Amino acid sequence: MGWSFKVHGGVAAGLGAVLLVPAGLTLLPGVLPLAEVGWLPALIAVLFVPIVVSAMARLFLARVDKSLAWQAFRCLPGWVQMGLAVLALSGVMVTFFGEGQEGNLQSAEVKDGRYFALDTTPYARGTVELSREQYQVVLEADRRTMLAVPGVLFVGAACAVLVAGELRRADRGVLSSK
């Protein structure tokens, strides 16, 4: 596998891990210190687009079907397979374990010193006023989703890049033997 595939996959996996750690910390009591960082979603978006889109392009250019991709993933070193699997499973667990704690509330905000959130309950959709404690729960759930979903997608991009690199390495081995 070429070095560019290794670097791309490593950066994607590293970014996924960096996002999944604070996402997991939102499950602990208290407020996450990154709570008031307004530039974080913009930074995630700026990094997400080139890394994930180029990973999908690399996988598409490798012309991979599902069974071939699984075989290529199995050819990766065991510690890489384990690391990617642990990251992906932890991200999925953080995403779905935290669901339901806030009910149908999302998009917490403060207006004039009062706390509000969007209630997405069917047939009762609208903005509702919350207590400070409810506001904190909804805010943490929003942050968890904001961090965990891109984290899982970064890990998926790492898998895609490493699979594409492994397939390219295997294709070069076949071509050089002819």
Side-chain angles (χ1 to χ4, degrees):
M1 177 180 332
W3 64 271
S4 69
F5 288 96
K6 292 177 184 176
V7 169
H8 189 175
V11 167
L15 287 171
V18 165
L19 291 175
L20 290 173
V21 168
L25 292 175
T26 62
L27 295 170
L28 298 176
V31 178
L32 188 64
L34 288 174
E36 303 307 320
V37 181
W39 50 266
L40 188 59
L43 179 64
I44 291 171
V46 165
L47 293 172
F48 182 80
V49 171
I51 291 175
V52 174
V53 169
S54 62
M56 294 303 118
R58 282 183 152 182
L59 193 61
F60 177 73
L61 292 173
R63 294 186 175 97
V64 180
D65 65 357
K66 290 178 188 175
S67 63
L68 195 58
W70 178 246
Q71 289 174 359
F73 183 78
R74 299 271 320 240
C75 290
L76 293 171
W79 64 272
V80 173
Q81 291 177 29
M82 183 62 71
L84 291 172
V86 165
L87 283 173
L89 288 175
S90 65
V92 169
M93 293 296 291
V94 164
T95 301
F96 292 113
F97 180 70
E99 291 297 318
Q101 289 182 351
E102 75 286 348
N104 293 322
L105 301 175
Q106 61 186 20
S107 303
E109 60 184 348
V110 179
K111 291 181 187 173
D112 300 325
R114 296 166 55 193
Y115 305 103
F116 295 95
L118 177 66
D119 187 1
T120 59
T121 305
Y123 306 112
R125 192 171 181 93
T127 304
V128 294
E129 190 170 353
L130 306 172
S131 67
R132 180 161 173 71
E133 293 77 27
Q134 287 175 314
Y135 168 77
Q136 292 295 334
V137 170
V138 173
L139 195 60
E140 288 292 310
D142 286 347
R143 289 192 190 112
R144 183 179 313 115
T145 302
M146 180 195 71
L147 294 168
V149 170
V152 171
L153 292 174
F154 275 125
V155 172
C159 290
V161 167
L162 294 174
V163 163
E166 192 63 29
L167 288 170
R168 183 171 177 182
R169 183 191 63 78
D171 287 346
R172 285 190 174 180
V174 169
L175 293 176
S176 65
S177 66
K178 288 184 179 181

